[in-house]
Amino acid sequence: MKETSVLCLLFLISLLSSTTNQARLTVSPSSSQFFKGDFVSLSCEEDDSSAGWTLRRNTSKQQRTQCGDGWGRWSGSSCNITVYPWDSGVYWCESREGPISNMVNLTVTGGSVILQSPVLPVMEGDDVTLLCKTKTTPSNLPAAFYKDGSLIRKQPTGHMTIQHVSRSDEGLYKCDISGHGESPSSWITVTESDPPVIYSAVRTEDISYGQITIRPKRTRDFKPEPDVVYSSLK
Ligand SMILES: *[C@@H]1O[C@H](CO)[C@@H](O)[C@H](O)[C@H]1NC(C)=O
Ligand SMILES: *[C@@H]1O[C@H](CO)[C@@H](O)[C@H](O)[C@H]1NC(C)=O
Ligand SMILES: *[C@@H]1O[C@H](CO)[C@@H](O)[C@H](O)[C@H]1NC(C)=O
């Protein structure tokens, strides 16, 4: 009886272990577009912080270069970087085994207008706010917003909220402010409202206490779910 449950647990553990070692790359301030000279901090949130990770990027000039290797500066657990247009590209976290996170596209402009749009995929049903900003004017100016090249809205306050986003809102967005110019374009990705759940690692020593705790986490929003506790061993 006892042996059977140990075997079951070991099977469960090996099943769960294969889904671990995931991380989420976060960008602060949270935006996919920046002005030349802005300060950006990138970090990896992961379940197992001992796993070790590096931040890498592809730009139009260089592929798979690591933070600190000619760009960015390591600061404990984040990569800090003062961005310039040549820093535009795809960024991701990587462990020795390979990529472990989502990828994000960052665009840096030498121009005077940016669109602040979500850098991470947004979930179906969420409200999304887009902000059209100039480099020089502190207050918000009237702006026009475009999706896939067509004008969708003109807003006197420079920001626009898309309520309850659906898959059809996915696309390439940009904005312009008359007299200041146009922003670069950025993709907004909309994902299904029910993201897959990943599980944190289960340590074998927990078995000797007669129970193991399985801690599910959602991959995209990282909201912890209630722990699942199995205590069938004793
Ligand atoms: C980065 O560049 C490498 C080498 O060209 C390529 O194999 C890889 O798929 C690129 N990764 C991304 C996320 O674009
Ligand atoms: C890097 O950024 C973080 C977060 O903004 C900050 O706490 C830290 O002091 C910065 N480190 C350096 C070396 O700039
Ligand atoms: C990054 O941008 C490229 C080109 O615009 C696009 O094909 C790709 O899907 C984007 N990736 C993400 C993660 O947004």
Side-chain angles (χ1 to χ4, degrees):
M1 179 64 192
K2 193 174 172 181
E3 268 171 35
T4 320
S5 24
V6 171
L7 278 178
C8 283
L9 272 173
L10 287 178
F11 173 70
L12 187 65
I13 288 162
S14 62
L15 205 69
L16 293 171
S17 303
S18 62
T19 65
T20 61
N21 205 16
Q22 294 278 320
R24 190 176 76 155
L25 171 58
T26 59
V27 181
S28 172
S30 182
S31 177
S32 50
Q33 296 186 7
F34 295 95
F35 292 117
K36 174 177 82 176
D38 279 353
F39 174 82
V40 184
S41 187
L42 299 150
S43 64
C44 257
E45 288 175 7
E46 59 180 327
D47 287 352
D48 179 9
S49 54
S50 66
W53 56 271
T54 54
L55 182 73
R56 289 184 186 273
R57 72 177 193 184
N58 282 359
T59 61
S60 59
K61 295 242 166 63
Q62 288 174 310
Q63 259 91 57
R64 295 197 71 248
T65 54
Q66 196 175 321
C67 177
D69 187 7
W71 64 274
R73 175 198 283 239
W74 269 109
S75 172
S77 59
S78 57
C79 177
N80 293 348
I81 169 173
T82 300
V83 290
Y84 290 92
W86 53 85
D87 295 310
S88 299
V90 190
Y91 290 73
W92 69 93
C93 304
E94 204 170 291
S95 72
R96 279 175 297 278
E97 289 81 42
I100 54 168
S101 75
N102 53 308
M103 291 166 196
V104 301
N105 275 339
L106 300 185
T107 305
V108 185
T109 178
S112 56
V113 177
I114 58 169
L115 174 68
Q116 269 190 350
S117 62
V119 64
L120 298 174
V122 293
M123 261 197 272
E124 263 180 333
D126 283 356
D127 293 346
V128 173
T129 297
L130 307 177
L131 177 62
C132 196
K133 281 176 67 169
T134 63
K135 197 183 169 97
T136 47
T137 326
S139 59
N140 297 337
L141 298 169
F145 292 87
Y146 299 81
K147 174 176 181 271
D148 300 323
S150 312
L151 177 70
I152 46 169
R153 242 185 264 177
K154 283 187 171 166
Q155 296 286 97
T157 54
H159 57 83
M160 157 182 163
T161 300
I162 309 169
Q163 269 161 347
H164 311 296
V165 290
S166 64
R167 297 303 283 267
S168 63
D169 293 312
E170 202 164 76
L172 199 57
Y173 287 78
K174 68 177 180 184
C175 67
D176 77 45
I177 295 179
S178 120
H180 290 265
E182 190 175 276
S183 74
S185 298
S186 281
W187 271 99
I188 294 181
T189 308
V190 181
T191 58
E192 280 165 40
S193 53
D194 190 24
V197 169
I198 56 168
Y199 296 90
S200 61
V202 178
R203 284 171 293 126
T204 41
E205 58 263 37
D206 292 337
I207 292 174
S208 61
Y209 293 101
Q211 67 178 41
I212 58 167
T213 302
I214 297 173
R215 189 157 298 158
K217 283 184 174 167
R218 290 195 179 275
T219 47
R220 294 198 188 87
D221 59 7
F222 253 53
K223 267 182 214 144
E225 302 248 305
D227 289 352
V228 184
V229 180
Y230 290 86
S231 44
S232 60
L233 269 177
K234 275 192 172 161

